[in-house]
Amino acid sequence: MPNPSTFSGNPGSRPPTSAVRQRSRWVERFLDGWSVYRKNTIGRIGLTLLGLFGLMAAASYIPQWVNPIYHPMTGVDPLISHSTGPSLQHWLGTDYIGRDIFSQLLAGARVAFMVGISSALISILFGTTIGMVAGYAGRRTDVVLMRLADMIMVMPTLLVVLILSALFGQLNIWVIVVVIALFRWPGVARVIRSQTLSLRHRPFIEAARVSGASHLRIIFRHILPNVMPLALLYMTFRVTSAIIIEAALAFLGFGDPGTVSWGMMLQWVWKTGHMFQAPYWLLPPGICISLITMAFYMTGRAMDDVLDPRLRKEETQA
């Protein structure tokens, strides 16, 4: 005998909507990917390092609340007028005018995350959208967009930013973020385009087209969910390059003078002649730049294993 509740109109007995089913599929895919990711030793190390740097970025506001002398840019110890080594009051020592190096290191972690993630996110949005449109539209649209990507791809990002800095003076940190993003999307666009080309003739795309779905709906409702994991993978590598470019600009003296970054710390070491006299000042920012870029790279490598089952099979056979 059928259950009367199935005919009672009780909302709890109704079948799940398509949105609920899709959300459950996304959750299931995430849990499956996480189960694979956490088995990857490189991925766990990378995620642990990123967590450590995330804590440093979150804690960067604490020292200046404790005492104004720990402000990374304007805080100066009145009893110190030159660079000093580590002490109980200044865990990593002070710079050439008595500013706390540890608080600068924490502020540099915040700037690294801000620059890396912001510029990578903008470049991924540009590259993914242009790649999907080029791959789906084809013909002249594809040719025009890919030739534009080729022209931008051959331009050295660091050199272009240096020229802009020479023309317009030292750039604001957000201007640097946008410029880096505008010159880092072509590689992502080409990868997403090739993926879109393989998707646009699949049966579910043909079914959506026959059912009357618009081109925008097909691109953003059916193609985007299938290329998004690949875009997120490339985002981790774009974060790495953005952090290195910003650090190089700051070290060369073209960074934002109102922002304390690891590259700016290295420039202060160099300009004041403490490169070989103050390892407590030189090594921390250099090590942090190396570790955070390595952490994002290791995270990307582990995500590559999650997205490509063939890599897991090769590792198992090896």
Side-chain angles (χ1 to χ4, degrees):
M1 181 176 179
N3 188 352
S5 64
T6 59
F7 305 102
S8 63
N10 184 3
S13 63
R14 293 175 184 170
T17 63
S18 59
V20 173
R21 288 196 299 268
Q22 184 177 7
R23 188 158 51 245
S24 64
R25 286 197 297 268
W26 276 100
V27 173
E28 184 179 353
R29 288 179 62 182
F30 173 79
L31 293 177
D32 291 342
W34 173 247
S35 64
V36 175
Y37 184 94
R38 65 183 181 181
K39 296 176 183 176
N40 191 302
T41 304
I42 293 178
R44 291 200 304 271
I45 296 174
L47 204 59
T48 301
L49 289 174
L50 289 181
L52 177 61
F53 284 111
L55 290 176
M56 290 175 60
S60 61
Y61 298 98
I62 297 177
Q64 53 193 328
W65 290 345
V66 174
N67 194 322
I69 68 171
Y70 293 119
H71 190 284
M73 180 63 74
T74 61
V76 177
D77 192 328
L79 302 178
I80 300 175
S81 59
H82 58 280
S83 180
T84 60
S87 63
L88 292 177
Q89 189 174 8
H90 302 286
W91 294 352
L92 292 178
T94 61
D95 65 5
Y96 66 106
I97 58 175
R99 292 179 297 190
D100 185 70
I101 294 176
F102 181 69
S103 62
Q104 292 179 353
L105 198 71
L106 296 180
R110 184 178 73 246
V111 173
F113 272 106
M114 181 184 69
V115 171
I117 294 177
S118 298
S119 62
L121 184 60
I122 296 172
S123 66
I124 290 300
L125 289 175
F126 266 82
T128 301
T129 302
I130 293 175
M132 288 191 301
V133 171
Y136 181 80
R139 298 184 179 180
R140 293 182 179 178
T141 303
D142 184 18
V143 172
V144 171
L145 292 177
M146 287 302 99
R147 295 298 78 77
L148 175 63
D150 291 340
M151 287 189 294
I152 296 178
M153 187 180 295
V154 298
M155 296 181 183
T157 307
L158 181 59
L159 180 59
V160 172
V161 180
L162 288 175
I163 294 174
L164 292 177
S165 299
L167 292 175
F168 302 104
Q170 290 181 308
L171 304 177
N172 180 274
I173 190 67
W174 289 109
V175 176
I176 294 174
V177 166
V178 173
V179 172
I180 293 175
L182 292 179
F183 283 90
R184 302 303 292 176
W185 63 264
V188 179
R190 296 195 68 86
V191 173
I192 298 300
R193 169 187 173 269
S194 63
Q195 186 75 3
T196 304
L197 287 173
S198 67
L199 289 170
R200 69 175 182 174
H201 296 301
R202 298 281 180 88
F204 69 96
I205 299 295
E206 296 292 343
R209 189 180 292 115
V210 171
S211 65
S214 65
H215 296 309
L216 286 178
R217 180 175 177 82
I218 292 175
I219 291 175
F220 292 102
R221 180 68 176 79
H222 299 284
I223 294 179
L224 179 60
N226 289 281
V227 302
M228 183 59 71
L230 192 61
L232 293 177
L233 169 63
Y234 273 82
M235 181 176 173
T236 60
F237 302 127
R238 289 297 175 266
V239 171
T240 299
S241 61
I243 292 174
I244 293 176
I245 291 173
E246 189 280 329
L249 284 173
F251 177 72
L252 294 174
F254 294 97
D256 187 347
T259 303
V260 178
S261 66
W262 293 330
M264 189 70 69
M265 293 176 65
L266 293 175
Q267 191 216 17
W268 289 336
V269 177
W270 174 262
K271 287 183 65 175
T272 58
H274 290 81
M275 184 66 74
F276 302 104
Q277 286 77 26
Y280 52 85
W281 187 6
L282 170 68
L283 294 179
I287 293 174
C288 284
I289 292 173
S290 301
L291 288 180
I292 197 171
T293 54
M294 183 180 69
F296 276 108
Y297 177 77
M298 295 169 75
T299 304
R301 285 290 305 272
M303 288 177 61
D304 200 8
D305 288 349
V306 173
L307 297 176
D308 193 347
R310 292 174 298 180
L311 296 178
R312 299 198 295 271
K313 292 180 180 179
E314 290 176 1
E315 290 177 358
T316 303
Q317 292 174 357

